[in-house]
Amino acid sequence: MKYYVDASVSRSGNGSKEYPFRHIQEAANLAKAGDEVLVYPGVYREYVNPVNSGTEDARITYTSVEPLKAVITGAEEVKCWEPYEGKEDGGNIWVARIPNGIFGNYNPYTTLVSGDWFIATFIAHTGEVYLNGKSLYEVTELDQVLNPVRSRTSWDPDFSVYTWYTQQDEEKNETVIYANFQGADPNKENVEINVRRNCFYPDKEGVGYITLSGFTVTKAATQWAPPTAYQEGMIGPHWSKGWIIEDCEVSHSKCSGISLGKYKQPNNDNKWLTWKFKDGTQTERDCICQAQREGWTKENIGSHIIRRCNIHDCGQTGIVGHLGGVFSLIEDNHIHHINNKQNLAGAEIGGIKMHAAIDVIYRRNHIHHCTRGLWLDWQAQGTRVTQNLFHDNCLPLPDDCIDPNDPGMGEDIFIEVSHGPTLVDNNLLLSDRSVKLATQGVAFVHNLIAGALTAVGKGTDNGALTLSSPRYTPYHVPHRTEVAGFMTFLHGDDRFYNNIFLQQPKRPGMVKIYNYLQGEGKNGWDDGNLDVGTWMFDNGYQLYEEWVKEFEGYCGMGSPDSDRYYIHLPVWAEGNVYLNGAKPWKKEKNCVVDDTHEVTLSLEEKDGEWKLNTNLYEILPEITVGTISTETLGMAFEPEEYYENPDGSPITFSEDYFGNHRSLHPCVGPFENPEDAGKKLS
């Protein structure tokens, strides 16, 4: 059955093409497995709560008849602005009084952003004020509206003087908003405020096999989404299976745009924040084991697809998830400008932030201008990151800007406390810092790595001052969710084959933070490294054949005491090229270091197309390398799982960044054909 929705009709009909519904929710109340909801262009100011589930063979499909012309928004227009203190001169400061009845049981202007791993350096509400589609900056005092100060941390400091402040008039039961529009008349411009918490999101669990296609989804008052809490987004499957979110534009969520996240466990929801006596990592382990008991299996949860979406200008993440995103495919998305206001801070921020990305494939995405591009935290087992373009995912960092409480830098990919196997192949990693590697069991194959590897051998303890505080995280039965065991980190167990490492000039702001982290800011989480290459493995890492000798002649219980079970795991490296001063691991086999030529590299964007400008392939030295495969890479140590496809079949790295077939002796880096380096990348 087909249901039709048209916001332009004067009165809602019966959902037929001749008499369409006026609201999407009317169709969502009725649509069952196999049904299609067709939505005509218009602005739909409503929360859509899909009631029924589709099936694997008969999905429920919601489609925008004209791509991106049907807009689902959690915001409402505000046209009741008055000049502050009776100013009639078109001044900057305006006041709006909003009756609280419009918010129902959730008022974004009394609800603070909060949760585990949120750093409350700033008191922020889940509400927002938008001027012509762009969110203003909330401040904590009225004087900061009257006399705004330009932000030093925002990625868009010029707009940071557009500020707003809120308070409650309890006597009149109104939300009062003060805003500085810098000369614009808000009654003549498009000014909106967040009203609804979600846009397209079932309020109950288990509503699976839904397709959302071609919508613009924007502006919702979402809450902070840590892994130890109920994780919400503007869009999300809410603990179900088989959703497809495709060809959508997703923007301006207060926190997260799309959530593939965890259901609510009332006994363990932000428990670290509220009960405090158990450390957050222990409550997370509790969350995982409880979910296992309560039906977290491959048969029930995950296997979602997010493809061809434009996801941008969200405060916390573009895509977030814990447990609920397993076995998913995230491909061909453009994810950019996430957390650029820098008004939210914490350990759950990035273009994509996902815990337990078991057998998740991230393919052909373009991720840039985010406070961290892709963060794979815990259980990145069977995860593959392939054919993606990453750039400009380190903070802008003006030369004078260091926050001693959070001297963050950002990177393209952060892989944290996972046992692997995690596969990173055929990517362009072009930010100042390419990969933060506080983990083990990662294979890098055929990448262009133009930023540093950081936190090698660090970042896996839990920050105790004087006591040992290793973080134990789970590993799983291969290609399943069932927990096979928990273990801390020995580091290493990493592989580097056929990559190009290219040192770029170091920005002064980054150097300043590096110096800070090497001195008074030294900590166990990040070394701030900016020097490109595999050279950090010089510190105590062995070749496989050296490591094996540690165990010769010993056989379990009764052997002499030894450190052999607690030393770093071995590292494999072969066929890599190092340019512009990038430095190899001293034990690497068959590598080429070229310090005689200067390689230039930059990205150029024109009319929405991104291209690489470089002389790399005029200079790239020849090196004899072979085809890399699952057989080459072997298995990750702790889970004893091979670097293979989610279905258990082996991988042969026979395709490059563009999908071109590689020769028997392939070219190092992501491009098999040198002339392809100048092609459109995204």
Side-chain angles (χ1 to χ4, degrees):
M1 179 135 184
K2 291 185 179 181
Y3 295 100
Y4 295 84
V5 183
D6 190 343
S8 69
V9 298
S10 58
R11 181 176 296 177
S12 194
N14 59 11
S16 65
K17 189 172 185 179
E18 294 76 18
Y19 301 100
F21 292 131
R22 190 174 185 182
H23 302 289
I24 302 171
Q25 186 60 50
E26 295 175 272
N29 289 335
L30 300 175
K32 294 181 172 60
D35 289 346
E36 185 175 7
V37 178
L38 297 167
V39 184
Y40 287 103
V43 178
Y44 296 84
R45 298 187 185 276
E46 58 178 304
Y47 158 51
V48 181
N49 173 22
V51 173
N52 300 311
S53 178
T55 67
E56 187 172 5
D57 298 323
R59 311 180 64 80
I60 299 176
T61 302
Y62 295 78
T63 304
S64 175
V65 173
E66 295 185 36
L68 305 182
K69 295 297 180 65
V71 180
I72 304 173
T73 177
E76 293 287 341
E77 289 184 304
V78 179
K79 293 296 185 185
C80 58
W81 296 94
E82 296 182 357
Y84 175 64
E85 292 185 347
K87 288 184 179 180
E88 303 294 345
D89 59 355
N92 295 334
I93 318 302
W94 298 76
V95 185
R97 305 184 72 89
I98 314 298
N100 284 336
I102 194 173
F103 302 119
N105 61 1
Y106 179 82
N107 185 339
Y109 302 91
T110 60
T111 304
L112 296 178
V113 176
S114 66
D116 288 351
W117 285 282
F118 176 67
I119 300 175
T121 55
F122 170 77
I123 297 174
H125 293 89
T126 59
E128 289 279 30
V129 178
Y130 304 92
L131 172 63
N132 297 324
K134 194 168 183 176
S135 62
L136 278 64
Y137 287 63
E138 184 180 6
V139 293
T140 56
E141 297 177 0
L142 178 57
D143 184 66
Q144 294 169 308
V145 175
L146 304 177
N147 302 289
V149 177
R150 192 172 182 269
S151 170
R152 294 190 305 121
T153 57
S154 169
W155 294 49
D156 185 9
D158 291 341
F159 196 75
S160 66
V161 294
Y162 289 74
T163 57
W164 66 275
Y165 168 74
T166 188
Q167 62 185 28
Q168 292 294 305
D169 186 332
E170 295 183 2
E171 183 177 336
K172 295 182 178 180
N173 193 26
E174 292 178 335
T175 292
V176 183
I177 299 175
Y178 304 85
N180 189 329
F181 294 104
Q182 296 296 330
D185 184 339
N187 295 316
K188 295 179 180 178
E189 306 293 336
N190 177 25
V191 175
E192 299 171 287
I193 63 168
N194 280 355
V195 172
R196 288 167 288 279
R197 185 167 184 163
N198 312 106
C199 290
F200 191 94
Y201 196 97
D203 67 359
K204 63 183 181 182
E205 299 164 20
V207 181
Y209 297 104
I210 301 284
T211 295
L212 184 72
S213 183
F215 287 83
T216 294
V217 184
T218 187
K219 304 183 182 72
T222 50
Q223 183 56 279
W224 185 255
T228 50
Y230 166 59
Q231 286 185 313
E232 65 178 3
M234 290 197 301
I235 306 170
H238 192 182
W239 203 245
S240 65
K241 186 173 181 179
W243 274 46
I244 298 175
I245 303 165
E246 63 183 9
D247 300 308
C248 292
E249 181 171 1
V250 181
S251 71
H252 295 94
S253 173
K254 179 68 180 197
C255 289
S256 294
I258 297 173
S259 172
L260 303 181
K262 194 178 75 64
Y263 68 111
K264 185 171 184 177
Q265 298 173 337
N267 62 307
N268 194 2
D269 194 63
N270 286 315
K271 191 172 183 177
W272 189 25
L273 177 69
T274 55
W275 194 52
K276 304 179 191 245
F277 300 106
K278 273 190 179 181
D279 186 88
T281 57
Q282 182 61 22
T283 64
E284 186 165 345
R285 284 185 285 267
D286 290 349
C287 281
I288 294 163
C289 292
Q290 180 177 340
Q292 191 81 87
R293 298 191 302 272
E294 295 178 345
W296 179 49
T297 66
K298 188 173 186 176
E299 289 72 28
N300 297 330
I301 302 298
S303 297
H304 306 297
I305 298 173
I306 302 173
R307 60 190 176 202
R308 300 187 301 273
C309 291
N310 180 13
I311 305 170
H312 61 95
D313 290 289
C314 298
Q316 179 191 341
T317 65
I319 301 172
V320 74
H322 182 212
L323 305 177
V326 290
F327 314 112
S328 293
L329 174 62
I330 298 174
E331 65 177 358
D332 297 307
N333 300 288
H334 185 194
I335 303 173
H336 56 105
H337 296 92
I338 302 297
N339 189 237
N340 282 186
K341 290 169 71 175
Q342 290 283 288
N343 62 331
L344 302 182
E348 306 304 323
I349 285 171
I352 301 174
K353 173 65 194 286
M354 192 173 290
H355 288 74
I358 298 172
D359 282 356
V360 176
I361 297 175
Y362 301 89
R363 181 170 63 195
R364 298 190 303 268
N365 301 288
H366 181 191
I367 303 178
H368 64 99
H369 290 92
C370 300
T371 301
R372 181 168 290 119
L374 169 62
W375 190 348
L376 300 172
D377 202 351
W378 294 48
Q379 305 145 276
Q381 182 171 330
T383 308
R384 186 175 183 184
V385 183
T386 182
Q387 299 173 313
N388 302 281
L389 171 61
F390 294 89
H391 62 93
D392 294 290
N393 293 311
C394 290
L395 301 181
L397 295 175
D399 297 354
D400 62 345
C401 184
I402 291 182
D403 179 358
N405 297 312
D406 184 24
M409 303 170 80
E411 53 276 324
D412 287 326
I413 303 175
F414 183 9
I415 309 171
E416 185 176 14
V417 292
S418 174
H419 301 285
T422 308
L423 179 56
V424 181
D425 69 282
N426 288 295
N427 301 282
L428 278 72
L429 305 168
L430 305 183
S431 296
D432 308 74
R433 308 202 317 168
S434 289
V435 184
K436 192 172 182 180
L437 205 58
T439 192
Q440 64 188 43
V442 185
F444 296 87
V445 182
H446 279 293
N447 300 284
L448 172 55
I449 300 174
L453 306 179
T454 72
V456 172
K458 296 174 70 74
T460 58
D461 289 343
N462 216 26
L465 286 176
T466 62
L467 302 176
S468 175
S469 58
R471 283 194 281 178
Y472 287 81
T473 67
Y475 52 94
H476 299 261
V477 175
H479 312 299
R480 300 286 304 177
T481 61
E482 288 80 2
V483 174
F486 287 81
M487 187 55 186
T488 186
F489 296 89
L490 303 177
H491 300 281
D493 196 25
D494 298 320
R495 294 119 170 104
F496 298 88
Y497 289 99
N498 296 0
N499 302 285
I500 300 172
F501 290 91
L502 173 63
Q503 180 74 57
Q504 298 186 88
K506 300 173 184 177
R507 291 188 285 128
M510 301 291 283
V511 172
K512 191 166 186 178
I513 289 189
Y514 167 77
N515 291 334
Y516 173 77
L517 291 174
Q518 294 298 303
E520 61 180 298
K522 191 172 184 178
N523 61 66
W525 302 100
D526 194 348
D527 51 24
N529 178 47
L530 298 172
D531 291 326
V532 176
T534 53
W535 62 274
M536 302 81 60
F537 292 98
D538 289 341
N539 184 23
Y541 293 86
Q542 303 180 85
L543 295 165
Y544 176 75
E545 49 267 34
E546 295 174 316
W547 177 77
V548 167
K549 288 181 181 179
E550 300 280 349
F551 298 84
E552 290 181 357
Y554 298 120
C555 186
M557 193 69 178
S559 300
D561 288 344
S562 168
D563 291 335
R564 60 186 173 274
Y565 291 106
Y566 303 98
I567 60 176
H568 291 322
L569 295 170
V571 173
W572 293 258
E574 186 172 359
N576 302 295
V577 172
Y578 297 83
L579 304 167
N580 279 15
K583 299 178 290 185
W585 179 37
K586 289 179 180 177
K587 296 182 178 182
E588 178 164 350
K589 302 175 181 179
N590 188 27
C591 69
V592 173
V593 179
D594 183 347
D595 287 328
T596 61
H597 297 93
E598 181 180 354
V599 178
T600 59
L601 184 146
S602 64
L603 270 178
E604 178 182 295
E605 187 268 332
K606 185 176 182 181
D607 298 327
E609 295 185 357
W610 293 80
K611 294 183 178 180
L612 195 64
N613 292 323
T614 182
N615 63 347
L616 170 62
Y617 286 90
E618 301 169 15
I619 294 170
L620 188 65
E622 290 187 9
I623 181 170
T624 302
V625 293
T627 300
I628 308 303
S629 65
T630 294
E631 184 178 6
T632 313
L633 300 178
M635 69 180 186
F637 175 78
E638 207 63 65
E640 300 179 27
E641 178 179 335
Y642 287 88
Y643 291 84
E644 59 193 10
N645 288 308
D647 63 2
S649 62
I651 299 172
T652 299
F653 295 90
S654 56
E655 291 188 354
D656 74 351
Y657 176 89
F658 289 110
N660 296 322
H661 189 73
R662 291 190 181 274
S663 68
L664 293 178
H665 296 286
C667 184
V668 294
F671 306 126
E672 180 63 16
N673 304 310
E675 60 271 18
D676 287 348
K679 286 185 176 179
K680 173 188 172 185
L681 299 174
S682 174

PDB file of all heavy atoms in Angstrom, residues 471-491:
ATOM      1  N   ARG A 471      42.990  -0.629  31.242  1.00  0.00           N
ATOM      2  CA  ARG A 471      41.615  -0.784  30.762  1.00  0.00           C
ATOM      3  C   ARG A 471      41.467  -2.153  30.100  1.00  0.00           C
ATOM      4  O   ARG A 471      42.116  -2.436  29.095  1.00  0.00           O
ATOM      5  CB  ARG A 471      41.269   0.326  29.768  1.00  0.00           C
ATOM      6  CG  ARG A 471      40.979   1.645  30.442  1.00  0.00           C
ATOM      7  CD  ARG A 471      40.322   2.615  29.487  1.00  0.00           C
ATOM      8  NE  ARG A 471      41.276   3.248  28.596  1.00  0.00           N
ATOM      9  CZ  ARG A 471      40.940   4.112  27.637  1.00  0.00           C
ATOM     10  NH1 ARG A 471      39.674   4.421  27.427  1.00  0.00           N
ATOM     11  NH2 ARG A 471      41.869   4.653  26.884  1.00  0.00           N
ATOM     12  N   TYR A 472      40.596  -2.954  30.644  1.00  0.00           N
ATOM     13  CA  TYR A 472      40.262  -4.244  30.046  1.00  0.00           C
ATOM     14  C   TYR A 472      39.046  -4.058  29.155  1.00  0.00           C
ATOM     15  O   TYR A 472      38.019  -3.536  29.588  1.00  0.00           O
ATOM     16  CB  TYR A 472      39.957  -5.277  31.128  1.00  0.00           C
ATOM     17  CG  TYR A 472      41.172  -5.767  31.872  1.00  0.00           C
ATOM     18  CD1 TYR A 472      41.728  -5.017  32.906  1.00  0.00           C
ATOM     19  CD2 TYR A 472      41.763  -6.978  31.542  1.00  0.00           C
ATOM     20  CE1 TYR A 472      42.850  -5.460  33.592  1.00  0.00           C
ATOM     21  CE2 TYR A 472      42.884  -7.432  32.220  1.00  0.00           C
ATOM     22  CZ  TYR A 472      43.420  -6.666  33.240  1.00  0.00           C
ATOM     23  OH  TYR A 472      44.531  -7.111  33.915  1.00  0.00           O
ATOM     24  N   THR A 473      39.161  -4.480  27.914  1.00  0.00           N
ATOM     25  CA  THR A 473      38.018  -4.381  27.010  1.00  0.00           C
ATOM     26  C   THR A 473      37.744  -5.746  26.385  1.00  0.00           C
ATOM     27  O   THR A 473      38.631  -6.602  26.313  1.00  0.00           O
ATOM     28  CB  THR A 473      38.259  -3.336  25.900  1.00  0.00           C
ATOM     29  OG1 THR A 473      39.304  -3.796  25.041  1.00  0.00           O
ATOM     30  CG2 THR A 473      38.628  -1.982  26.486  1.00  0.00           C
ATOM     31  N   PRO A 474      36.523  -5.957  25.917  1.00  0.00           N
ATOM     32  CA  PRO A 474      36.160  -7.285  25.428  1.00  0.00           C
ATOM     33  C   PRO A 474      36.627  -7.548  24.004  1.00  0.00           C
ATOM     34  O   PRO A 474      36.834  -6.638  23.214  1.00  0.00           O
ATOM     35  CB  PRO A 474      34.630  -7.273  25.496  1.00  0.00           C
ATOM     36  CG  PRO A 474      34.260  -5.848  25.361  1.00  0.00           C
ATOM     37  CD  PRO A 474      35.364  -5.062  26.002  1.00  0.00           C
ATOM     38  N   TYR A 475      36.791  -8.817  23.708  1.00  0.00           N
ATOM     39  CA  TYR A 475      36.876  -9.278  22.325  1.00  0.00           C
ATOM     40  C   TYR A 475      35.823 -10.362  22.158  1.00  0.00           C
ATOM     41  O   TYR A 475      35.298 -10.903  23.149  1.00  0.00           O
ATOM     42  CB  TYR A 475      38.280  -9.757  21.955  1.00  0.00           C
ATOM     43  CG  TYR A 475      38.886 -10.777  22.880  1.00  0.00           C
ATOM     44  CD1 TYR A 475      38.783 -12.149  22.615  1.00  0.00           C
ATOM     45  CD2 TYR A 475      39.575 -10.378  24.026  1.00  0.00           C
ATOM     46  CE1 TYR A 475      39.349 -13.084  23.460  1.00  0.00           C
ATOM     47  CE2 TYR A 475      40.140 -11.315  24.876  1.00  0.00           C
ATOM     48  CZ  TYR A 475      40.017 -12.670  24.597  1.00  0.00           C
ATOM     49  OH  TYR A 475      40.573 -13.594  25.437  1.00  0.00           O
ATOM     50  N   HIS A 476      35.478 -10.675  20.920  1.00  0.00           N
ATOM     51  CA  HIS A 476      34.254 -11.408  20.648  1.00  0.00           C
ATOM     52  C   HIS A 476      34.514 -12.657  19.810  1.00  0.00           C
ATOM     53  O   HIS A 476      35.548 -12.779  19.141  1.00  0.00           O
ATOM     54  CB  HIS A 476      33.254 -10.507  19.915  1.00  0.00           C
ATOM     55  CG  HIS A 476      32.869  -9.302  20.717  1.00  0.00           C
ATOM     56  ND1 HIS A 476      31.705  -9.221  21.437  1.00  0.00           N
ATOM     57  CD2 HIS A 476      33.511  -8.111  20.930  1.00  0.00           C
ATOM     58  CE1 HIS A 476      31.637  -8.056  22.051  1.00  0.00           C
ATOM     59  NE2 HIS A 476      32.726  -7.365  21.759  1.00  0.00           N
ATOM     60  N   VAL A 477      33.558 -13.559  19.851  1.00  0.00           N
ATOM     61  CA  VAL A 477      33.566 -14.676  18.917  1.00  0.00           C
ATOM     62  C   VAL A 477      33.605 -14.081  17.510  1.00  0.00           C
ATOM     63  O   VAL A 477      32.848 -13.156  17.203  1.00  0.00           O
ATOM     64  CB  VAL A 477      32.304 -15.542  19.100  1.00  0.00           C
ATOM     65  CG1 VAL A 477      32.233 -16.636  18.040  1.00  0.00           C
ATOM     66  CG2 VAL A 477      32.270 -16.129  20.510  1.00  0.00           C
ATOM     67  N   PRO A 478      34.492 -14.533  16.627  1.00  0.00           N
ATOM     68  CA  PRO A 478      34.593 -13.915  15.296  1.00  0.00           C
ATOM     69  C   PRO A 478      33.248 -13.817  14.586  1.00  0.00           C
ATOM     70  O   PRO A 478      32.480 -14.784  14.519  1.00  0.00           O
ATOM     71  CB  PRO A 478      35.555 -14.858  14.553  1.00  0.00           C
ATOM     72  CG  PRO A 478      36.437 -15.389  15.635  1.00  0.00           C
ATOM     73  CD  PRO A 478      35.528 -15.570  16.823  1.00  0.00           C
ATOM     74  N   HIS A 479      32.961 -12.596  14.130  1.00  0.00           N
ATOM     75  CA  HIS A 479      31.768 -12.287  13.342  1.00  0.00           C
ATOM     76  C   HIS A 479      30.478 -12.513  14.124  1.00  0.00           C
ATOM     77  O   HIS A 479      29.409 -12.741  13.546  1.00  0.00           O
ATOM     78  CB  HIS A 479      31.754 -13.078  12.029  1.00  0.00           C
ATOM     79  CG  HIS A 479      33.050 -13.005  11.291  1.00  0.00           C
ATOM     80  ND1 HIS A 479      33.574 -11.814  10.840  1.00  0.00           N
ATOM     81  CD2 HIS A 479      33.949 -13.975  10.952  1.00  0.00           C
ATOM     82  CE1 HIS A 479      34.732 -12.049  10.245  1.00  0.00           C
ATOM     83  NE2 HIS A 479      34.983 -13.345  10.303  1.00  0.00           N
ATOM     84  N   ARG A 480      30.569 -12.390  15.440  1.00  0.00           N
ATOM     85  CA  ARG A 480      29.418 -12.481  16.324  1.00  0.00           C
ATOM     86  C   ARG A 480      29.533 -11.396  17.396  1.00  0.00           C
ATOM     87  O   ARG A 480      30.568 -10.743  17.528  1.00  0.00           O
ATOM     88  CB  ARG A 480      29.360 -13.855  17.006  1.00  0.00           C
ATOM     89  CG  ARG A 480      29.243 -15.054  16.087  1.00  0.00           C
ATOM     90  CD  ARG A 480      27.853 -15.176  15.493  1.00  0.00           C
ATOM     91  NE  ARG A 480      26.822 -15.242  16.550  1.00  0.00           N
ATOM     92  CZ  ARG A 480      25.518 -15.298  16.293  1.00  0.00           C
ATOM     93  NH1 ARG A 480      25.081 -15.287  15.044  1.00  0.00           N
ATOM     94  NH2 ARG A 480      24.632 -15.357  17.279  1.00  0.00           N
ATOM     95  N   THR A 481      28.470 -11.228  18.188  1.00  0.00           N
ATOM     96  CA  THR A 481      28.523 -10.289  19.313  1.00  0.00           C
ATOM     97  C   THR A 481      28.902 -10.956  20.619  1.00  0.00           C
ATOM     98  O   THR A 481      29.293 -10.276  21.568  1.00  0.00           O
ATOM     99  CB  THR A 481      27.161  -9.607  19.508  1.00  0.00           C
ATOM    100  OG1 THR A 481      26.169 -10.607  19.807  1.00  0.00           O
ATOM    101  CG2 THR A 481      26.738  -8.820  18.279  1.00  0.00           C
ATOM    102  N   GLU A 482      28.788 -12.280  20.707  1.00  0.00           N
ATOM    103  CA  GLU A 482      29.058 -12.950  21.969  1.00  0.00           C
ATOM    104  C   GLU A 482      30.481 -12.667  22.443  1.00  0.00           C
ATOM    105  O   GLU A 482      31.437 -12.790  21.678  1.00  0.00           O
ATOM    106  CB  GLU A 482      28.841 -14.466  21.830  1.00  0.00           C
ATOM    107  CG  GLU A 482      27.388 -14.867  21.719  1.00  0.00           C
ATOM    108  CD  GLU A 482      26.805 -14.695  20.326  1.00  0.00           C
ATOM    109  OE1 GLU A 482      27.558 -14.281  19.397  1.00  0.00           O
ATOM    110  OE2 GLU A 482      25.613 -14.964  20.139  1.00  0.00           O
ATOM    111  N   VAL A 483      30.598 -12.292  23.723  1.00  0.00           N
ATOM    112  CA  VAL A 483      31.899 -11.945  24.290  1.00  0.00           C
ATOM    113  C   VAL A 483      32.725 -13.212  24.494  1.00  0.00           C
ATOM    114  O   VAL A 483      32.270 -14.179  25.111  1.00  0.00           O
ATOM    115  CB  VAL A 483      31.731 -11.198  25.626  1.00  0.00           C
ATOM    116  CG1 VAL A 483      33.088 -10.965  26.288  1.00  0.00           C
ATOM    117  CG2 VAL A 483      31.015  -9.863  25.397  1.00  0.00           C
ATOM    118  N   ALA A 484      33.952 -13.192  23.971  1.00  0.00           N
ATOM    119  CA  ALA A 484      34.859 -14.333  24.122  1.00  0.00           C
ATOM    120  C   ALA A 484      35.814 -14.148  25.292  1.00  0.00           C
ATOM    121  O   ALA A 484      36.332 -15.123  25.838  1.00  0.00           O
ATOM    122  CB  ALA A 484      35.656 -14.547  22.834  1.00  0.00           C
ATOM    123  N   GLY A 485      36.068 -12.889  25.668  1.00  0.00           N
ATOM    124  CA  GLY A 485      36.974 -12.639  26.777  1.00  0.00           C
ATOM    125  C   GLY A 485      37.231 -11.151  26.936  1.00  0.00           C
ATOM    126  O   GLY A 485      36.763 -10.324  26.138  1.00  0.00           O
ATOM    127  N   PHE A 486      37.960 -10.797  27.985  1.00  0.00           N
ATOM    128  CA  PHE A 486      38.394  -9.425  28.238  1.00  0.00           C
ATOM    129  C   PHE A 486      39.910  -9.437  28.412  1.00  0.00           C
ATOM    130  O   PHE A 486      40.477 -10.375  28.975  1.00  0.00           O
ATOM    131  CB  PHE A 486      37.766  -8.867  29.521  1.00  0.00           C
ATOM    132  CG  PHE A 486      36.300  -8.548  29.409  1.00  0.00           C
ATOM    133  CD1 PHE A 486      35.343  -9.540  29.525  1.00  0.00           C
ATOM    134  CD2 PHE A 486      35.877  -7.250  29.202  1.00  0.00           C
ATOM    135  CE1 PHE A 486      33.997  -9.259  29.439  1.00  0.00           C
ATOM    136  CE2 PHE A 486      34.531  -6.945  29.111  1.00  0.00           C
ATOM    137  CZ  PHE A 486      33.576  -7.954  29.230  1.00  0.00           C
ATOM    138  N   MET A 487      40.566  -8.392  27.949  1.00  0.00           N
ATOM    139  CA  MET A 487      42.019  -8.317  28.115  1.00  0.00           C
ATOM    140  C   MET A 487      42.460  -6.860  28.047  1.00  0.00           C
ATOM    141  O   MET A 487      41.793  -6.026  27.427  1.00  0.00           O
ATOM    142  CB  MET A 487      42.733  -9.136  27.029  1.00  0.00           C
ATOM    143  CG  MET A 487      44.235  -9.241  27.219  1.00  0.00           C
ATOM    144  SD  MET A 487      44.693  -9.891  28.859  1.00  0.00           S
ATOM    145  CE  MET A 487      46.461  -9.709  28.818  1.00  0.00           C
ATOM    146  N   THR A 488      43.561  -6.579  28.723  1.00  0.00           N
ATOM    147  CA  THR A 488      44.184  -5.271  28.615  1.00  0.00           C
ATOM    148  C   THR A 488      45.109  -5.255  27.398  1.00  0.00           C
ATOM    149  O   THR A 488      45.000  -6.108  26.517  1.00  0.00           O
ATOM    150  CB  THR A 488      44.926  -4.912  29.909  1.00  0.00           C
ATOM    151  OG1 THR A 488      45.399  -3.569  29.820  1.00  0.00           O
ATOM    152  CG2 THR A 488      46.084  -5.857  30.169  1.00  0.00           C
ATOM    153  N   PHE A 489      46.070  -4.328  27.329  1.00  0.00           N
ATOM    154  CA  PHE A 489      46.778  -4.076  26.074  1.00  0.00           C
ATOM    155  C   PHE A 489      48.287  -4.235  26.220  1.00  0.00           C
ATOM    156  O   PHE A 489      48.911  -3.666  27.106  1.00  0.00           O
ATOM    157  CB  PHE A 489      46.413  -2.682  25.540  1.00  0.00           C
ATOM    158  CG  PHE A 489      44.965  -2.618  25.198  1.00  0.00           C
ATOM    159  CD1 PHE A 489      44.035  -2.256  26.147  1.00  0.00           C
ATOM    160  CD2 PHE A 489      44.520  -3.038  23.959  1.00  0.00           C
ATOM    161  CE1 PHE A 489      42.690  -2.285  25.862  1.00  0.00           C
ATOM    162  CE2 PHE A 489      43.180  -3.068  23.661  1.00  0.00           C
ATOM    163  CZ  PHE A 489      42.252  -2.693  24.616  1.00  0.00           C
ATOM    164  N   LEU A 490      48.826  -5.012  25.297  1.00  0.00           N
ATOM    165  CA  LEU A 490      50.271  -5.185  25.212  1.00  0.00           C
ATOM    166  C   LEU A 490      50.872  -4.252  24.169  1.00  0.00           C
ATOM    167  O   LEU A 490      52.085  -4.041  24.158  1.00  0.00           O
ATOM    168  CB  LEU A 490      50.596  -6.642  24.861  1.00  0.00           C
ATOM    169  CG  LEU A 490      50.024  -7.697  25.826  1.00  0.00           C
ATOM    170  CD1 LEU A 490      50.348  -9.101  25.333  1.00  0.00           C
ATOM    171  CD2 LEU A 490      50.554  -7.477  27.232  1.00  0.00           C
ATOM    172  N   HIS A 491      50.019  -3.713  23.301  1.00  0.00           N
ATOM    173  CA  HIS A 491      50.423  -2.831  22.195  1.00  0.00           C
ATOM    174  C   HIS A 491      51.182  -3.622  21.118  1.00  0.00           C
ATOM    175  O   HIS A 491      51.654  -4.729  21.340  1.00  0.00           O
ATOM    176  CB  HIS A 491      51.246  -1.641  22.682  1.00  0.00           C
ATOM    177  CG  HIS A 491      50.501  -0.775  23.647  1.00  0.00           C
ATOM    178  ND1 HIS A 491      49.562   0.149  23.249  1.00  0.00           N
ATOM    179  CD2 HIS A 491      50.529  -0.708  24.996  1.00  0.00           C
ATOM    180  CE1 HIS A 491      49.066   0.754  24.316  1.00  0.00           C
ATOM    181  NE2 HIS A 491      49.629   0.255  25.393  1.00  0.00           N
TER     182      HIS A 491
END
